[in-house]
Amino acid sequence: MMDQIGKFIGSAVVMFLFMFCLIFCFDSPDTLTNILLVSANVLFWGGILWLINRKGGKR
């Protein structure tokens, strides 16, 4: 139960940071740079969410 609450809080923090980082993705006047910055943000924060929510345990 506490593990699920911790994962939820961690996921909420990561999503907040992702939205905060999106503010700075559109500083460039070049469209390609903006697309690359957004995709890098999605990959980075998506990876962090995957690390938080992956199933652990013994095989």
Side-chain angles (χ1 to χ4, degrees), residues 25 31-42:
C25 279
T31 306
L32 181 61
T33 304
N34 288 334
I35 291 170
L36 289 173
L37 286 171
V38 168
S39 61
N41 257 331
V42 167

Side-chain angles (χ1 to χ4, degrees), residues 8-54:
F8 176 76
I9 292 172
S11 296
V13 168
V14 167
M15 289 308 297
F16 173 76
L17 290 173
F18 171 69
M19 294 297 174
F20 183 74
C21 287
L22 280 180
I23 295 169
F24 302 106
C25 279
F26 299 106
D27 288 342
S28 175
D30 184 29
T31 306
L32 181 61
T33 304
N34 288 334
I35 291 170
L36 289 173
L37 286 171
V38 168
S39 61
N41 257 331
V42 167
L43 287 174
F44 177 75
W45 292 111
I48 298 294
L49 280 175
W50 177 78
L51 284 174
I52 290 173
N53 292 314
R54 70 182 174 157

